[in-house]
Amino acid sequence: MELMRSWMFVPGHRQRMIDKGLAVNADAIMLDIEDGVAPDEKAAARKNIGEALGREKTPGAPARYVRINAIGHERMVADLEAVVRPGLEGLVCPKVDTVEEVRTVDAILNEREPKQDLARGSVKLLIAIESPKGLLNAPAIAAASPRVVGLMFGAEDFGREIGLPAVREGHARDLIYARSAVVVAAASAHVQAIDGVWVDLNDTLGLYGFAKQSRQLGFSGMSSIHPAQIDAINSTFSPTAEEIDYCQKVLQAFAAANARGDGSIAFGGQLIDRPIVERARRTVEMAKSLGMTH
């Protein structure tokens, strides 16, 4: 599974933003027909997004996902008719509470993909967990379909549902339990965990701090609302040169120990055994996939 660190929302009714979004250095863009688009602009958003998906994708351009309206709503039906077409790489499903909602979208895609000359199963799903009910069902939701590539935490809606004040404080410390639960649910199904947005565009230091905390909690990426946030997200969720070097040395030392018949070693003053070695291997593989090593 390809690691996608940065996911940027792009309002579907803003043609200029779509044009920019198709070329940003995010790993994925989420062309939006849901909360970022007023009801009377949704038809325009569907038309704009459908046309954008038809454009040729240049090498290195972000993956193209579309955030649809609520599953089961008549707007969702119109969304899927407009955007399930060649060029669509995935859907972002908002406010998912149950496994059945995921299976509803899965069944519609199974029907529509062949009609659009798309390979069966090619449209992936990023599932937004935005409510207490969704969080409690998150492990089952993450495993509900092979299409699911990740869970994304929707902090604003979740905070409203549990009664948090309108003004958020700090690095979402008030939501650490919920965010960690999303990470564990995603890991249990071997899919990505994507954290919510950092809403203060003027606080770059805060963005770096929040992204670092997200990575420490186990998230593998983060959503954003502006291109200026992407570099901070990409760098924070990528291994550093020092991490890569350390992990390569761990792998070399462990291979030498195995050749001697030893199952664990002392390296740099730390006991190194198989779980740590596997984490080091995963870091080196991530670095290779990002073109950071050979």
Side-chain angles (χ1 to χ4, degrees), residues 3-287:
L3 178 74
M4 292 195 278
R5 304 156 295 174
S6 48
W7 298 71
M8 191 180 84
F9 286 105
V10 179
H13 62 305
R14 303 287 188 199
Q15 185 63 55
R16 184 176 59 86
M17 291 187 180
I18 291 176
D19 295 340
K20 284 187 173 182
L22 292 171
V24 295
N25 62 332
D27 292 338
I29 54 172
M30 299 176 285
L31 298 158
D32 193 16
I33 320 178
E34 199 226 4
D35 279 356
V37 179
D40 59 354
E41 295 280 3
K42 291 188 187 288
R46 292 184 194 107
K47 179 175 180 293
N48 293 344
I49 291 170
E51 291 172 354
L53 293 172
R55 297 189 210 173
E56 185 178 352
K57 187 179 175 185
T58 57
R64 298 171 181 180
Y65 278 62
V66 174
R67 181 165 71 164
I68 58 174
N69 283 282
I71 296 170
H73 194 285
E74 60 185 23
R75 285 179 180 149
M76 178 208 74
V77 177
D79 295 343
L80 295 180
E81 286 178 1
V83 307
V84 178
R85 49 159 298 159
L88 176 70
E89 292 171 72
L91 298 172
V92 180
C93 300
K95 303 176 179 63
V96 173
D97 284 342
T98 66
V99 166
E100 288 70 31
E101 288 171 319
V102 179
R103 291 182 179 155
T104 295
V105 176
D106 186 57
I108 294 169
L109 291 173
N110 285 339
E111 180 189 350
R112 290 192 65 84
E113 282 170 335
K115 296 177 181 176
Q116 294 293 323
D117 293 325
L118 294 167
R120 178 67 64 89
S122 61
V123 177
K124 303 305 180 185
L125 300 176
L126 178 67
I127 305 296
I129 301 296
E130 306 184 64
S131 70
K133 185 175 181 180
L135 186 68
L136 292 174
N137 289 329
I141 288 169
S145 165
R147 296 180 185 274
V148 177
V149 295
L151 300 180
M152 178 171 65
F153 183 58
E156 304 307 325
D157 281 284
F158 192 93
R160 185 191 72 237
E161 290 225 11
I162 64 171
L164 293 185
V167 178
R168 297 259 306 280
E169 295 179 10
H171 292 158
R173 292 182 181 89
D174 41 5
L175 294 171
I176 279 184
Y177 167 76
R179 290 160 69 207
S180 291
V182 167
V183 168
V184 173
S188 73
H190 306 289
V191 299
Q192 282 193 246
I194 308 300
D195 207 355
V197 299
W198 178 255
V199 294
D200 190 341
L201 294 176
N202 298 315
D203 186 1
T204 304
L205 277 178
L207 168 63
Y208 272 102
F210 179 74
K212 181 180 178 183
Q213 183 203 54
S214 293
R215 190 180 180 204
Q216 289 170 338
L217 288 174
F219 286 97
S220 53
M222 190 176 146
S223 52
S224 68
I225 51 175
H226 195 278
Q229 298 179 318
I230 295 170
D231 285 343
I233 293 170
N234 283 345
S235 63
T236 304
F237 288 95
S238 301
T240 64
E242 291 77 17
E243 282 180 274
I244 296 166
D245 181 60
Y246 174 79
C247 290
Q248 287 173 328
K249 287 176 178 172
V250 165
L251 294 179
Q252 291 163 3
F254 195 72
N258 272 355
R260 297 192 304 267
D262 296 331
S264 61
I265 56 170
F267 180 80
Q270 182 182 1
L271 177 69
I272 303 291
D273 57 7
R274 189 158 298 281
I276 294 174
V277 171
E278 290 307 316
R279 281 157 61 186
R281 195 183 316 282
R282 194 164 55 194
T283 298
V284 171
E285 287 171 357
M286 185 197 307

